[in-house]
Amino acid sequence: MEVVIVPTVQDAAAVVVEAITAALHRRPAPVLGVATGSSPLPTYRLLVTAVGAGRLSFATASAVLLDEYVGLPLDHPQSYRTFIRTHLTDLVDLDPRRLHGPDVGADDLPAACAAYEQLLLELGGVDLQLLGIGSDGHIGFNEPSSSLTSRTRIKTLTEQTRRDNARFFGALGEVPRHVVTQGLGTIAAARHAVLVATGAAKAGPVAAAVEGPLTAMCPASVLQLHPHATVVVDEPAASGLRLAGYYRDVFAAKPAWQGL
Ligand code: F6R
């Protein structure tokens, strides 16, 4: 796992954009896994600017959702499909038919989850999966106690996550209880996993994920097993890391050919 510590939120976004740019050039039909929430927003703004300036293109790319609420219509303002369309895919040259997510409206949800796994395979796998981290250490909506090898499935949100996400809704009661999320095993299959976390509130979960034990109680710790995982943090989010000095040294001395 590589930990990249940068001074500001904007610097973190710039590092993530560099990784995404590399991933988009790795295959003729690349696949970007997209997360919602506050953490990726600065990254999405930079991507939109880069596409507008002609420095980057999603023309041959697909985007796949990391997770989706169950029980909201897909065009609901807080559905994750709407979020990603609003903040990224409608603003770049990605073919709208190549934005994919689990069919959370299906009568048979387990079959829809299996179909989503199959789709990811048919697309050739995810080249880069962008991730945020929840205050309880979740990635996607794999809450604590999630199997470290889980695949896409329905999950029940913890009260803490529902409270964290209530800011996007009118009231806590409006936050759905259920979601479909890529599993930890699904996320682990992405060629590059990039977790971005900024702000002091993320210092605890980041430290647990990077330096704590590998445990289902901190689902993000599964990234310790990933052969190519990058954790991009600003200084406040890095403040709980014991080896912060070492991570800074590694990044400063990184050979240019290595890339992210
Ligand atoms: C979003 C997702 C979640 C968020 C996490 C952090 O698609 O899967 O894991 O990344 O809850 O959310 P923010 O970035 O809003 O703090």
Side-chain angles (χ1 to χ4, degrees), residues 38 120 163 166 189:
S38 309
L120 298 182
R163 274 198 302 276

Side-chain angles (χ1 to χ4, degrees), residues 1-249:
M1 181 187 289
E2 178 170 37
V3 183
V4 181
I5 303 173
V6 290
T8 68
V9 171
Q10 273 308 108
D11 297 326
V15 171
V16 177
V17 167
E18 194 183 325
I20 291 174
T21 303
L24 288 178
H25 288 112
R26 221 168 277 144
R27 286 197 303 141
V31 179
L32 177 65
V34 283
T36 65
S38 309
S39 306
L41 284 177
T43 296
Y44 294 155
R45 284 194 282 271
L46 283 189
L47 288 173
V48 171
T49 305
V51 171
R55 296 195 302 273
L56 189 65
S57 174
F58 285 82
T60 63
S62 299
V64 294
L65 298 180
L66 179 58
D67 40 22
E68 182 58 277
Y69 286 119
V70 174
L72 296 183
L74 286 186
D75 59 353
H76 187 282
Q78 295 309 330
S79 82
Y80 282 179
R81 178 175 286 269
T82 302
F83 182 101
I84 291 296
R85 289 188 57 186
T86 306
H87 294 286
L88 182 65
T89 56
D90 282 1
L91 310 180
V92 298
D93 56 346
L94 184 126
D95 182 337
R97 289 168 302 184
R98 287 207 288 264
L99 169 62
H100 304 286
D103 180 6
V104 289
D107 289 334
D108 186 345
L109 267 181
C113 294
Y116 193 54
E117 288 280 333
Q118 183 59 31
L119 174 76
L120 298 182
L121 283 179
E122 283 164 12
L123 291 172
V126 176
D127 291 284
L128 184 149
Q129 179 61 59
L130 185 55
L131 302 163
I133 185 168
S135 57
D136 59 5
H138 70 231
I139 51 175
F141 274 131
N142 296 280
E143 297 285 31
S145 79
S146 288
S147 158
L148 297 178
T149 60
S150 49
R151 309 304 299 204
T152 301
R153 70 217 181 290
I154 188 165
K155 287 293 287 181
T156 304
L157 296 179
T158 62
E159 276 307 297
Q160 185 178 332
T161 298
R162 292 185 66 238
R163 274 198 302 276
D164 288 348
N165 288 2
R167 68 189 192 280
F168 297 114
F169 292 81
L172 178 60
E174 291 174 26
V175 184
R177 285 185 189 281
H178 294 111
V179 291
V180 166
T181 180
Q182 285 189 32
L184 294 173
T186 317
I187 292 168
R191 293 182 185 86
H192 190 187
V194 177
L195 187 149
V196 61
T198 54
K202 296 295 168 77
V206 165
V210 174
E211 296 179 339
L214 172 66
T215 168
M217 290 310 287
C218 178
S221 67
V222 76
L223 296 178
Q224 294 176 19
L225 291 175
H226 198 289
H228 191 188
T230 308
V231 175
V232 185
V233 283
D234 66 355
E235 290 290 348
S239 59
L241 292 170
R242 282 192 302 124
L243 294 187
Y246 173 63
Y247 306 140
R248 287 193 189 91
D249 288 350

